[in-house]
Each structure stands twice: as C-alpha cells, then as structure tokens.
C-alpha cells in the first residue's frame, strides 16, 4: 500500500503497518513462484446453511478457507483446502458440501467440508474462465455456472464458432448435483447459450425457480465508424459518399489543437438512439447507413431452473455497460438488483475541461439497476457529483461509492448492502429508496473498512453481522449491522509479492485517484483488463510531441506526405488521435511503449521505449483524465508501474491442451513465419516484411506479436505494432461498410450482434479474416496461395492461427483432474496428458526463460492428513515431508485407490510447483513437516 492510501483509510498507523506485515511478510518471494493474473472475485464468500461456518476463496493462494463463526460473529480459521487456480466464487449446496469456481483452471472443485479435514472429492471441467455459481431448481440441487463460450473443456468447434456471425457467446453450464455422470469432467444437464458476450454474475430467485445471468461487458450500443467512412475535412466537411455509402459529414470540431496543428483524419464513435432509431454522433447526425449490424444490447437473462432442460425465459436491455453482480429480492419474485457501471465513451476528449466537453472525471458512472418485472430502472449511486466542477468540492469523495460489486439483501427485502470495491466501503441502502430513486448519498450510510477492495459480502442476520472480503489485503472484515462499524478484521495468508500488494490500490482506489471518488484507472481497465469499448481520448489542449520509436515502412508514409498524422510529422504524435479501444493491462512486460500509438513513450518521466518509463508516463492521466486535483507522487506512480508490469494474460483457450496446432492453424503459422512478404511493399531491399517481421513472435524475448516498434500500415496515423495474444476476446462484431484505404469491401448487413467493436486500434474491423483481406492479401493480390480459393483459404488459415496465438503460458497451465477410487479409467489418461506437458520444453521470458510447460502438483488427504506432492524433473514425486522417499507415478496414483484419498492433479505455472505443492509459505520447511510439528504452513515467521 502507498502512504497516501494509508492516510486515506484513516486508520491508526500502527494498525495499518501491522496489517501490512501480515499481508506481505518479510522475505519476498521470487517473482517466478507467483504469477499475478489479477482475476476479479465474483462471489468470494458463502455461509453454510446452518450459519456455523464461513467459506472464503483465497484467490492468490488457490485455496478455500474455512472459518467457524462464534459468538458475535467472531471468526476462527479451521481449514485451508487446495482447489484450482484463481478461485473467484464459492457456494454452499449443503452444510457438508461446497462448490468452488476456479477461474484460471476452467474447473469446479466440489469440497466435502463435512469430512475432517475437508477435501476435494471431485473436479468438474467447464468452459473458459468460469466466474460465478448458484444453486437453484428442484430441491436446490442444480448448479448453475457462468463461463465464456469457448475453452478446451467444451465440445465447441472453435474453427467454426469463432467465425460465425450473430451467435451468443455467454454460456451457463447446469449440473445436476445428484447425478453428475461418470465422464471425466462431469456431464452437464445442459449448457444454456445466451445472446451476449462473456457472462459474469448469477442470482437465483427466492423460490429457486429462476436463475438470472448477467453479461459482463454487455456494452452500451456504441460502435465506431471507420476513418474510411468519415468525410475528410473535419467540421467543415459536407455530407459525402464513401465507397457507395452516403454519410453525413466529417469529424465534429475542434479539429486542431491549441497550437493550430490540424489533427489526423480518424474514425468516429456513434451511439444508437433507440427513440429515433438512428446511429448518431454527438451532433445528432444520422450514421445508420454506415453501420452494418444491430446491437440489441441484451444484458440480463432469466433461465427456467426447473425445466427438464433449463432454458432462457426472458431478457432485459439497458441495464448497464459493465455488469458486476446481482441479487434477487427475497420478497418480490420479479425484482432484481444489478451492480454496474455505465460508460460515456460517446463523449470525445480527455481534460482539461468538464463533463460538458470531455470525459474528465466522468468515464463510467457507478450504478445499481433495479429490474422490476419488465421495468429497467438505473440508479446512479453518486448523483451528488457535479461533474462540471473539477476538482470536486470538499466532501464529495466521502459520499461516493466506486465500482459497486457484491451485494446482500436482508430477509425482509428492505435493506441492500453494496460493496464498493474502489472506495473501501460498503454502502447501506433502503431498497424502497433505491426503487423510487429517492435516496440521498450520505457517508453516514457507509461502512468504512480497514482493508481496501471489498469484493463480496455475506449477511448474517442472526448475529447482526456482515462479513466482507477485502481483496487489497486479502482479509475478512466483520461489520456490526446495527452500528455500521467494522468490529473485526481477519487476515488470510497471501503469497503475493510486495510489489503486487503495494501497487494494487493505485489501479482501483477512486478516492485516491480522483477528486470525486468515482473515477479510477479500473473504470475502463476492469480488473486490469478492458471494457470492450473504444474511447476518443485525444486532447486539443496538448501539444504535438516527438516519437522516439523505430517506425517500420516509414518511407511508405513519407510517399503520401501530409496525409499521415495530420499536421504532425511522420515521427511525431498528434494529441488528437481519434477512437482507440481500451487495451488490457495484462502482458505489458516486454511490450515496449504503451497506448495504441506508443505515445506514452513521450511524457512526464521523459522519452524512451522502456516499458517501465512508458507506464510511468501515465501519471498525467490522474489529473487530466480522472480529474484528480493534482498528480500523484512519483513514488506512488513507480509502485503502480511495478504492479502493472506483473499482470499476466491467461493461457490461450483456443489452443489445444497439448499445445499442438490444427492443420489450418499450422498452415497459418507457416505463412506468418515464412519468407513471403506479407505487406506487398517493395520500396527497396529489406523494406518488405513477412508477418513476423513486424508482429514479432519470439517467446525468448517476451515478444508475442510486438517488439515495441511502430509501423506505417496504410492508415492515416502511425501506430505501434500490436501484440496478438487476446484476439479471441474481441470476436463478436460482424458486418462493416466498404472502406477504401483498407481495400475492405462491404460484407452486407449482418443482423443482431453482441459487440460494437472489433479489431484494429479503433475496433472498426469486424473480423480477423477481414483484417487480412484489407491488408496482407489484397496487397499481395492473393496470388500463389494454397487451396482452391487461393487467398480466401489462406486468410482463413491465418485467422485460425491468430486466434490460437502463443502466449506467455502454455495452454495446459491451470488444468486439473481429480483421481478417485472409482474413476481411474477416465482420469488416468488426463493425468498422462498433464505429466506429458510437464516434461515438454517451453520458453517464457516472464518465467525465467527455458522451462517446461507446467509444474504438476498433487493435493489430497492421506491417512486423514492434508498432503502434497510436486513432480520432479526425473518424473518422480517429491512429497511435503523431507524424510519421505520420492514416489513413482504409479505409486502415487495407487494412493487414490483408497476411498477418501482422492488426489487432485493440477498443472501449475512453471516455477510455482514448490509453493503450490509442498511449501506453501516458501520458508524452506515443508508443509507436512510443519503440520507434524504443530507449526503453521501459512506462516513464514
């Protein structure tokens, strides 16, 4: 934590320092033993039905923590059960059975908490990146799990699915807990696919007859008109016809910066006006002719939980842009509360200025939306903020709640508790006042918490207590609901390095980041990722600056002269850059200058192409974009940078678990790395490149599509060559008009789609196939490519490879299987796969260079004692007791033949096997030995 953060939470210095000592003990862990995925917790707490125990996911330590609840809500830690990687949600089916959602492992751990000690008895395999779980349906015995519509544990044919227009990409897996089936990962009763992007939150109606699912990045009916679809000439341009499409004009003013330098021609963000039935810009001009799809913006869905095959019943739109969590009213069967934020990305420019002209301090509004029957009623939690006054007046922050996530509602339905992740508080509301929108923001209705980042809440009405998980310090707060005061704060062990703990608040803490207490970097970079939108964050009040980057094909830009970069030179950055999609903060290490153009290579901390310097240069965004009264300290910014550079992308969910490529993917890779020029340019020897010549793929250097250079790509701005690791996340916008300068022909109106932004820096290209049609293959005229359709076949092959692109981690990382006394026939082949990949060589710069694809760890109870093993380089297994001999593979598997001794095998990130398998706190004393000695394996002191 930063000094500023300590002061902000207004805790006694000795208390905060003591908590820091618990959260980040002396003796920092090696970075390679911990990989920071920064997964967002969804349902991190659950209480047993009988109210005697509290269950908490320990996301960084891949465990389920179990507490007994004593008098007055006092928590006593009783067990820590290893589960999958990045657990983010937990739900209790009964007093004796708890299910845990493992976000990175694509799995569900079923934990018998009635046994002593508790143990994982089965692992279910689900779709990519599961997020939430609820029980509903007959007897409350159906489990509903949200996942992305992809992943290696599904039957989805990605080669077809990822190129199919008009398809839902939000899955809810439904399991019958009383009949899980004998297949390896469990047999779902049904997988309900909803017409939206990745889903996140779930809620069950009070009677269990319905389950509600919310789309995570549901959007707000905005999209972008490509630069080639906007008339040239800026505000003075009249309506024109671009490639056969009539459009209403050019970019709205201003079109020059304060120096009088004209900006480049760019695209334009438009928003659908449902009343007018038009796609409109900020001037109200109709751009409908240029948009080739519809955005129904379906946000929340109701599922029939009692049907033989659960299926969609109803849907609602207009709920929000980013949907976090939901809770159903216990007294009104048709009422639902949804925490969300609503984006204002249709407004151009960052500050200086106010919300009338810019998005400064006013990016996403924090809301709770009430769904009441067919009515959708958004409620802005911070309606006290006057966005036209920057910085905000004293007292504004104290009333604000930022990033509302987990909720709980009282049994009488009259009180709603809302965890504000970016405010270190829980807001308490009368549901009647929320329903009627008569509440008045008041810090007296907020519970101040010792730890930051409250992510989930559980209400214990019998004891008048609220339990809150605080993610910044990995602890649990106990709140007295009668006095609205925190009365206890219980830390949970975390293996996170000091730089992760110290820098995390800088991403989320809106009270520190802004003057109004609502805006933070995480407003758009949601849990270190993105918001699936484009923003025009140019600034007419900024100057033209120099570009220190190496520019490939610069001579190509020079041949068309003043058309590139506006009045700025080819090797300069103009401050009016047009729409750019939000980029993930994951995988920034080794990627060079930041922003789509790399323009953070030039800024507050100087000029250069180093990643740390580039991220440090974002310091100006705290004042200019978030609306803080002044810049944060340089020390705080350096802490933020150190943290951000640890955030890592997950393994690619499209790539096969054995890291092989399909025939089409391999053909695409061969072209990508082959000798043929991909750009079609031949200004001179050495000026033409294959794909790898610009989008460098070199894991040894940490290059996954970029080496930090910029390039001229036949656009009207010089942009940085982008990395290619998360293209699969951007699938879902199909349909675009003909764009002349990219040679992209009109592909017709594609009907309803789930996303308004696609590929390229501004999100204007609808598919990877179209991107190659627009650049590589039209430049080469499609001549000489394999297949009966020439370039078309090769374009598809390139598309397949790009969607399965290499990442910093092998596809097998996180994958699991639980071996029991009865499932060897189906589990053993999966174990064989994990062991094979653990022996396969792999290169990852962030993990230290030459490693293997994963470290296999094994956890389970043997002789009623928690045990652990780690696979060695020799293929044997070292246990958590130093004196024990290493076990052969067969001997270890044989332990599971005894009932109650289930063994869960997990492919851990390379370098983390010792920590995750046999020495939890990395103090050199193995876990089993510590338990035998009466010591605590989670206490390095």
């Amino acid at each position: 934590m930063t000094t500023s953060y300590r002061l902000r939470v207004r805790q006694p210095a000795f208390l905060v320092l003591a908590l820091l000592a618990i959260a980040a003990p002396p003796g920092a862990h090696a970075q390679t033993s911990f990989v920071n995925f920064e997964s967002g917790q969804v349902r991190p707490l659950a209480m047993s039905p009988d109210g005697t125990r509290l269950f908490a996911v320990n996301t960084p330590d891949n465990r389920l923590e179990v507490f007994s609840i004593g008098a007055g809500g006092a928590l006593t830690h009783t067990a820590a059960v290893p589960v999958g990687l990045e657990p983010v949600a937990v739900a209790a089916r009964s007093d004796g059975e708890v299910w845990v959602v493992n976000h990175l492992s694509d799995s569900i751990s079923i934990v018998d908490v009635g046994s002593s000690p508790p143990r994982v008895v089965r692992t279910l395999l689900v779709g990519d990146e599961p997020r939430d779980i609820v029980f509903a349906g007959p007897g409350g015995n159906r489990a509903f799990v949200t996942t992305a519509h992809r992943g290696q544990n599904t039957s989805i044919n990605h080669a077809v699915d990822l190129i199919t227009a008009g398809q839902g990409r939000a899955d809810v897996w439904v399991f019958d807990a009383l009949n899980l089936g004998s297949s390896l990962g469990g047999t779902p009763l049904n997988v309900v696919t909803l017409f939206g992007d990745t889903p996140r939150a779930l809620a069950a109606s009070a009677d269990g007859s319905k389950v509600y699912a919310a789309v995570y990045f549901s959007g707000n009916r905005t999209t972008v008109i490509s630069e080639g679809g906007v008339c040239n000439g800026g505000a003075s341009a009249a309506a024109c016809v671009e490639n056969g499409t009539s459009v209403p004009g050019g970019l709205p003013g201003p079109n020059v910066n304060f120096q009088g330098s004209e900006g480049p021609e760019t695209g334009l963000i438009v928003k659908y006006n449902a009343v007018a039935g038009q796609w409109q810009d900020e001037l109200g001009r109709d751009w409908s002719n240029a948009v080739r799809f519809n955005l129904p913006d379906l946000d929340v869905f109701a599922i029939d939980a009692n049907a033989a095959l659960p299926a969609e019943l109803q849907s609602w739109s207009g709920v929000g842009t980013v949907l976090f969590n939901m809770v159903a009213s216990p007294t009104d069967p048709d009422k639902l509360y949804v925490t969300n934020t609503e984006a204002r990305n249709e407004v151009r420019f960052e500050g200086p200025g106010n919300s009338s002209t810019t998005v400064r301090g006013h990016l996403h509004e924090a809301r709770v939306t009430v769904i009441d029957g067919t009515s959708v009623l958004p409620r802005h939690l911070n309606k006290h903020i006057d966005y036209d006054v920057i910085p905000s007046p004293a007292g504004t922050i104290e009333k604000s709640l930022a990033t509302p996530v987990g909720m709980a509602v009282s049994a009488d339905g009259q009180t709603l508790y809302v965890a504000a992740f970016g405010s270190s508080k829980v807001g308490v509301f009368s549901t009647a006042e929320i329903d009627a929108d008569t509440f008045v923001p008041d810090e007296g209705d907020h519970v101040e918490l010792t730890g930051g980042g409250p992510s989930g809440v559980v209400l214990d009405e019998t004891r008048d207590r609220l339990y809150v998980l605080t993610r910044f310090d990995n602890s649990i707060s106990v709140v007295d609901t009668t006095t609205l005061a925190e009365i206890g704060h219980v830390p949970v062990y975390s293996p996170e390095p000091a730089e992760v703990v110290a820098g995390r608040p800088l991403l989320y803490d809106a009270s520190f980041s802004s003057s109004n207490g609502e805006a933070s970097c995480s407003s758009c970079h949601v849990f270190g990722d993105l918001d699936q939108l484009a923003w025009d964050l140019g600034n007419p009040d900024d100057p033209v600056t120099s570009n220190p980057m190496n520019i490939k094909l610069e001579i190509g830009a020079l041949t068309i002269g003043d058309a590139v970069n506006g009045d700025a030179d080819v090797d300069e950055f103009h401050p009016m850059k047009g729409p750019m999609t939000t980029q993930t903060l994951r995988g920034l290490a080794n990627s060079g200058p930041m922003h789509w153009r790399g323009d953070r290579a030039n800024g507050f901390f100087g000029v250069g192409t180093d990643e740390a310097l580039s991220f440090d240069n974002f310091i100006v965004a705290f004042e200019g974009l978030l609306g803080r009264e002044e810049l944060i300290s340089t020390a705080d910014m350096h802490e933020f940078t150190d943290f951000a550079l640890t955030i890592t992308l997950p393994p690619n969910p499209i790539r096969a678990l054995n890291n092989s490529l399909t025939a089409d993917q391999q053909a695409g890779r061969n072209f990508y790395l082959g000798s043929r020029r991909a750009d079609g340019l031949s200004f001179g020897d050495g000026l033409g490149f294959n794909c790898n010549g610009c989008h460098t793929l070199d894991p040894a250097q940490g290059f996954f599509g970029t080496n930090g250079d910029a390039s001229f790509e036949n656009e009207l701005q010089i942009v940085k060559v982008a990395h290619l690791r998360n293209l699969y996340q951007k699938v879902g916008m199909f349909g675009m008009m003909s764009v002349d300068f990219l040679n992209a022909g009109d592909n017709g109106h594609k009907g309803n789609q789930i996303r308004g932004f696609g590929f390229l820096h501004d999100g204007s290209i609808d598919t990877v196939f179209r991107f190659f049609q627009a650049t590589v293959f039209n430049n080469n005229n499609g001549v000489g490519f394999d297949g009966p359709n020439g370039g078309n076949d090769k374009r598809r092959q390139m598309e397949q490879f790009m969607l399965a692109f290499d990442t910093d981690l092998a596809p097998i990382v996180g994958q699991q299987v639980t071996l029991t006394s009865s499932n060897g026939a189906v589990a053993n082949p999966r174990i064989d796969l994990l062991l094979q990949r653990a022996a396969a060589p792999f290169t990852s710069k962030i993990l230290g260079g030459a490693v293997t694809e994963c470290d296999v760890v094994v956890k389970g109870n043997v002789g009623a004692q928690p045990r652990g093993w780690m696979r060695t380089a020799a293929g044997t297994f070292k246990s958590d007791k130093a004196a024990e001999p290493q076990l052969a593979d067969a001997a270890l598997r044989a332990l599971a033949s005894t009932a109650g001794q289930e063994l869960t095998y997990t492919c851990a990130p390379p370098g983390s096997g010792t920590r995750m398998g046999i020495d939890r706190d990395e103090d050199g004393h193995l876990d089993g030995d510590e338990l035998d000695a009466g010591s605590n394996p989670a206490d390095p002191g």
Side-chain angles (χ1 to χ4, degrees), residues 845-877:
K845 186 175 182 181
I846 66 168
L847 298 176
V851 291
T852 57
E853 289 192 5
C854 71
D855 290 350
V856 170
V857 298
V858 185
K859 306 295 284 191
N861 290 350
V862 175
Q865 184 183 34
R867 297 301 309 276
W869 295 264
M870 180 188 73
R871 180 189 177 277
T872 69
T876 57
F877 287 84

Side-chain angles (χ1 to χ4, degrees), residues 602-647:
N602 191 322
F604 184 87
F605 282 92
V607 179
T609 57
D610 175 73
E611 293 87 6
L613 180 146
S614 188
F615 196 89
D616 278 340
N617 280 334
F618 279 100
I619 191 172
V620 296
F622 283 90
E623 185 177 13
L625 180 59
L626 301 183
R628 197 176 193 270
E629 188 169 4
E630 60 186 4
L631 297 181
I632 66 174
S633 72
T634 58
D636 283 340
M637 191 64 216
H638 291 328
E639 285 192 338
F640 190 14
T641 296
D642 290 344
F643 161 72
L645 294 181
T646 70
I647 308 176

Side-chain angles (χ1 to χ4, degrees), residues 56 92 97-98 204 432 479 502 791 873:
E97 184 177 292
V98 170
V479 173

Side-chain angles (χ1 to χ4, degrees), residues 270-314:
V270 296
K271 186 168 186 174
Y272 186 72
N273 183 328
V275 175
Q278 297 176 352
W279 290 95
Q280 296 180 344
D281 64 13
E282 63 186 58
L283 302 178
R285 296 179 298 180
D286 182 10
W287 292 84
S288 301
N289 287 344
V291 181
R292 298 292 191 266
F293 53 84
N294 306 320
L295 285 179
D297 184 36
L298 302 182
D299 297 334
V300 175
F301 300 81
I303 298 171
D304 185 345
N306 289 331
L309 288 179
E312 179 185 337
L313 287 171
Q314 187 179 359

Side-chain angles (χ1 to χ4, degrees), residues 198-502:
T198 302
R200 176 179 160 99
L202 291 166
S205 61
D207 62 2
S209 65
K210 289 187 288 189
V211 165
Y212 301 95
V215 173
Y216 191 8
F217 302 115
S218 66
N220 61 348
R221 287 186 168 177
T222 57
T223 189
V224 64
I225 307 300
S226 173
E227 186 280 322
V230 180
C231 305
N232 290 341
S236 63
C240 67
V241 176
E242 294 285 354
N243 290 324
T245 299
S246 297
V247 291
L251 291 174
N255 303 125
V256 299
N257 76 337
F258 76 97
Q259 297 167 314
S261 176
E262 186 174 351
E265 296 288 347
T266 71
L268 177 66
I269 295 172
V270 296
K271 186 168 186 174
Y272 186 72
N273 183 328
V275 175
Q278 297 176 352
W279 290 95
Q280 296 180 344
D281 64 13
E282 63 186 58
L283 302 178
R285 296 179 298 180
D286 182 10
W287 292 84
S288 301
N289 287 344
V291 181
R292 298 292 191 266
F293 53 84
N294 306 320
L295 285 179
D297 184 36
L298 302 182
D299 297 334
V300 175
F301 300 81
I303 298 171
D304 185 345
N306 289 331
L309 288 179
E312 179 185 337
L313 287 171
Q314 187 179 359
S315 63
W316 294 266
S317 63
V319 178
T321 304
V322 181
L323 276 55
F324 289 107
N325 284 80
M326 296 189 295
V327 65
S329 169
T331 58
D332 187 335
D334 296 319
K335 186 170 292 184
L336 189 69
Y337 299 94
V338 186
T339 50
N340 65 91
T341 58
E342 178 74 351
R344 300 179 66 250
N345 62 310
E346 73 277 10
V347 178
R348 294 194 303 158
F349 303 141
E350 63 175 285
N354 55 45
S355 67
S356 299
T357 56
T358 76
V359 295
R360 187 185 183 201
H362 195 187
L363 295 104
H364 283 249
E365 293 184 354
R367 312 193 312 184
V368 169
T369 296
V370 184
I371 297 178
D372 190 356
T374 59
S375 300
V376 176
L377 309 169
R379 305 303 188 215
H380 184 199
L381 296 178
N382 300 317
K383 52 188 176 181
H384 63 287
I385 297 176
D386 183 350
Y387 294 103
D388 289 333
V389 178
I390 302 175
S392 296
T396 303
I397 285 178
E398 288 75 8
K399 298 177 183 179
S400 298
L401 296 176
T403 317
V405 285
M407 289 179 289
V409 63
S410 60
D412 61 9
Q414 295 182 10
T415 305
L416 182 69
Y417 300 87
V418 180
F421 193 86
S423 303
S424 300
K425 296 189 288 190
V426 172
V428 185
F429 297 91
S430 158
T431 55
E433 292 182 351
I434 286 281
D435 294 346
D437 200 17
T438 57
F439 69 94
V440 177
D442 185 350
E443 63 179 310
D445 295 327
H446 299 167
V447 181
E448 294 274 356
L449 300 173
T450 300
S455 58
V457 294
V458 164
L459 184 59
D460 181 359
E461 292 187 274
T462 301
R463 300 178 180 88
D464 295 324
R465 297 293 181 262
L466 186 75
Y467 308 110
V468 187
L469 195 149
T470 53
R471 181 66 183 90
F472 291 177
D473 63 349
N474 212 39
S475 300
I476 300 171
S477 290
V478 182
V479 173
D480 185 328
T481 56
T482 59
T483 62
L484 296 186
E486 179 186 79
I487 60 172
H489 195 67
V490 181
V492 178
Y493 174 73
S494 171
E496 293 179 319
E499 63 265 28
V500 173
V501 176

